[in-house]
Amino acid sequence: MTRGEHGISREDVSPNALKVMYRLNGAGFESYLVGGCVRDILMGHEPKDFDVATNATPEQIKGLFRNCRLIGRRFRLAHIVFGREVIEVATFRGHHSEEPEAKEVPKNKAVSKRDAHGQLVRDNVFGSIEEDAERRDFTFNAMYYSVADFTVKDFANGLEAIEKREVRLIGDPEVRYREDPVRMLRAVRFATKLSMRISDDTAAPIKQLASLLNNIPAARLFEETLKLFLSGQGEKTFLMLREYGLIAPLFPQLAPFIEDENSREMQFVRKVLQNTDERINNDQRVTPAFLYAALLWYPLEERAQIMQAESGLSAHDAFNLASTEVIAKQTQRIMIPKRFSTVIRDIWILQQRLPKRFGRRAFQLLTHPKFRAGYDFLLVRGQVEGGALLELAQWWTHFQHGEPGKQKKMLNDLRRQEGDGPKPRKRKRRPASRNTDA
């Protein structure tokens, strides 16, 4: 496509990405903007980042840029750092030659390697731009913009997919999912992000192959779930993941609780995701800890009840032990960094402490560093479950914003209503000292 046909201007492109392409071209290499940035510009969206593809090897790229670092094991990439912006540069990938058979392969020739499930575990195979396009995942990600002649090369009818609003894999879907099971998550993410549908042939194998996500490193799945749920389309994404059977491999403890569309657990998760989407779309801060605390709350409640019934532990001890167990099981599937797991625990513990409001406890809880997160969590629980839980959440809503006199009155009223609140301890009177002056 010529510039007149695609309408992409250099003004749409990051100046740092242009610098990278100009330097690669000046050194005699081919270079192109590729993937999501080209797709987003053609769709009228502002790209979040700009990726470049080239026929230069990672070592040749590093030789041209002092601000370059090489990353990756499965496939080597170059990250060229401009302050906070990172331009990712990838060498054109070639077709898999797999492990050498009878004929001898030179030591410097790269080969790919798959595991028993067909997943690529090594993929440093370089090739031509045509081969690279065939190796891309979705058709709308196989479009290449050249700053040398301002054309767009569309190798897989990506523009047609955009016009049809269709997410379609390049090649055989089952083979492509086996190569990298995360593509199933990406298909869902693109469908919700771009308001598209997943084509029938691309969607067909997902349920059958969902369990392959168990082979993905937990650290990588943490990054992928952030993209899924913190995009401003978290609720829609969650519902589509559920539709395609992708919740169980990500959150196995939650899956049994959301089989019923109308269950309180399902309504709770949806409400939290709705609130998260609203905050993100209003440019307000969110923390993954709150979302994970919600996704694991009902599994925690059930596990604590079982542990208390089976072992005779106190409610407090059972809750703490269950918290540790639930987080440990989840981190086997999705790594949760300690900076978030600590906050998850704080939110959960506050659910146990917020009902205890007598004396100075209410004022002490207001000073807790995670009070706001704990209160917000309680409020959503109350909105879903109603009853005494909602009354408790409403009490805290009024108390935290009340004047000191009003707060004192609320506590006095609460003591009278409850009738069984902690009574003030009676002071023991000291016996009167005897007068020894007789």
Side-chain angles (χ1 to χ4, degrees):
M1 289 185 285
T2 64
R3 178 159 46 181
E5 293 173 311
H6 59 69
I8 296 177
S9 165
R10 280 173 291 180
E11 294 179 359
D12 300 321
V13 181
S14 158
N16 292 324
L18 292 174
K19 287 178 189 176
V20 169
M21 290 190 290
Y22 285 139
R23 186 174 297 184
L24 285 166
N25 290 349
F29 298 108
E30 298 175 53
S31 68
Y32 301 85
L33 276 185
V34 66
C37 56
V38 179
R39 177 201 68 225
D40 287 346
I41 294 172
L42 289 171
M43 295 186 71
H45 303 158
E46 183 177 348
K48 280 191 174 181
D49 44 43
F50 292 84
D51 296 337
V52 172
T54 179
N55 61 343
T57 65
E59 289 71 23
Q60 289 171 328
I61 298 166
K62 188 171 178 62
L64 289 173
F65 298 92
R66 288 190 298 175
N67 54 332
C68 173
R69 62 172 183 257
L70 301 183
I71 66 163
R73 289 183 180 180
R74 194 187 73 171
F75 188 78
R76 296 282 277 169
L77 298 168
H79 277 184
I80 303 176
V81 182
F82 297 90
R84 291 187 175 182
E85 185 178 19
V86 176
I87 305 300
E88 185 172 280
V89 184
T91 305
F92 295 148
R93 287 175 293 179
H95 292 307
H96 310 140
S97 55
E98 298 298 339
E99 294 295 343
E101 296 178 0
K103 62 181 183 179
E104 190 175 334
V105 176
K107 291 182 180 179
N108 63 347
K109 179 174 177 57
V111 294
S112 65
K113 185 178 180 181
R114 301 171 189 257
D115 65 13
H117 303 283
Q119 183 178 335
L120 285 168
V121 293
R122 188 168 76 243
D123 193 19
N124 286 306
V125 182
F126 304 139
S128 65
I129 186 173
E130 291 81 9
E131 290 174 318
D132 188 76
E134 291 176 11
R135 296 290 318 283
R136 296 273 157 185
D137 48 9
F138 299 99
T139 56
F140 48 49
N141 286 341
M143 293 185 287
Y144 298 69
Y145 171 74
S146 169
V147 76
D149 58 10
F150 312 115
T151 60
V152 169
K153 297 181 184 294
D154 182 3
F155 289 99
N157 297 319
L159 194 60
E160 179 185 342
I162 290 174
E163 290 169 352
K164 289 183 175 180
R165 311 206 67 81
E166 191 172 73
V167 178
R168 179 180 291 278
L169 273 169
I170 297 171
D172 180 87
E174 181 169 344
V175 172
R176 303 311 304 278
Y177 288 142
R178 287 188 180 278
E179 286 177 353
D180 185 1
V182 168
R183 286 175 178 148
M184 292 182 278
L185 303 181
R186 286 168 59 82
V188 170
R189 179 160 63 87
F190 286 136
T192 54
K193 173 186 175 181
L194 304 174
S195 299
M196 294 182 171
R197 64 177 289 272
I198 303 176
S199 69
D200 293 341
D201 58 340
T202 297
I206 292 180
K207 285 186 178 181
Q208 175 191 348
L209 301 178
S211 62
L212 292 177
L213 286 167
N214 295 329
N215 304 323
I216 300 299
R220 186 180 177 199
L221 284 181
F222 176 73
E223 296 300 327
E224 291 297 329
T225 52
L226 293 188
K227 295 175 187 176
L228 289 167
F229 297 128
L230 301 184
S231 63
Q233 300 284 339
E235 184 191 14
K236 285 173 60 178
T237 302
F238 183 86
L239 293 176
M240 189 173 288
L241 289 170
R242 179 175 175 270
E243 176 187 350
Y244 287 111
L246 294 170
I247 293 296
L250 297 176
F251 300 96
Q253 297 173 97
L254 172 66
F257 290 89
I258 58 168
E259 291 176 357
D260 180 0
E261 174 71 30
N262 299 312
S263 67
R264 65 169 187 172
E265 293 85 357
M266 186 67 179
Q267 298 311 308
F268 177 67
V269 170
R270 292 188 66 173
K271 183 70 175 174
V272 168
L273 287 167
Q274 288 167 11
N275 293 348
T276 301
D277 290 342
E278 185 177 347
R279 291 183 65 85
I280 291 170
N281 294 325
N282 288 329
D283 295 322
Q284 294 176 284
R285 290 180 62 187
V286 297
T287 172
F290 192 93
L291 179 59
Y292 275 87
L295 293 171
L296 299 174
W297 170 250
Y298 286 110
L300 165 64
E301 266 201 337
E302 182 185 80
R303 186 62 190 142
Q305 291 167 6
I306 291 172
M307 292 179 78
Q308 187 178 359
E310 290 181 348
S311 59
L313 292 167
S314 68
H316 177 269
D317 289 344
F319 187 86
N320 286 338
L321 288 172
S323 299
T324 300
E325 183 179 304
V326 167
I327 290 176
K329 282 186 177 179
Q330 182 58 49
T331 54
Q332 292 173 6
R333 295 302 313 117
I334 300 175
M335 186 199 70
I336 303 176
K338 189 173 181 181
R339 67 183 184 277
F340 295 130
S341 63
T342 301
V343 178
I344 292 170
R345 286 177 176 274
D346 285 339
I347 292 171
W348 286 346
I349 289 170
L350 280 167
Q351 305 313 296
Q352 304 294 300
R353 295 182 61 188
L354 286 169
K356 301 171 184 176
R357 300 162 283 173
F358 293 104
R360 301 298 302 171
R361 287 178 177 175
F363 294 106
Q364 291 168 353
L365 284 170
L366 285 179
T367 64
H368 192 289
K370 299 303 176 188
F371 168 79
R372 183 69 199 190
Y375 159 74
D376 288 343
F377 197 88
L378 175 69
L379 185 59
V380 180
R381 290 176 60 211
Q383 290 168 345
V384 170
E385 297 187 28
L389 202 59
L390 180 58
E391 291 179 9
L392 175 64
Q394 291 171 339
W395 188 93
W396 277 107
T397 300
H398 297 304
F399 184 79
Q400 65 182 300
H401 299 300
E403 297 293 328
K406 181 182 178 183
Q407 290 176 330
K408 187 174 181 181
K409 182 178 184 302
M410 287 179 69
L411 288 171
N412 289 335
D413 291 345
L414 179 67
R415 183 173 285 110
R416 283 195 296 269
Q417 290 168 12
E418 296 289 335
D420 56 352
K423 304 295 189 294
R425 290 193 303 176
K426 292 182 180 180
R427 288 188 177 181
K428 291 182 179 180
R429 296 181 63 182
R430 289 185 178 181
S433 57
R434 294 181 181 179
N435 186 353
T436 55
D437 297 333

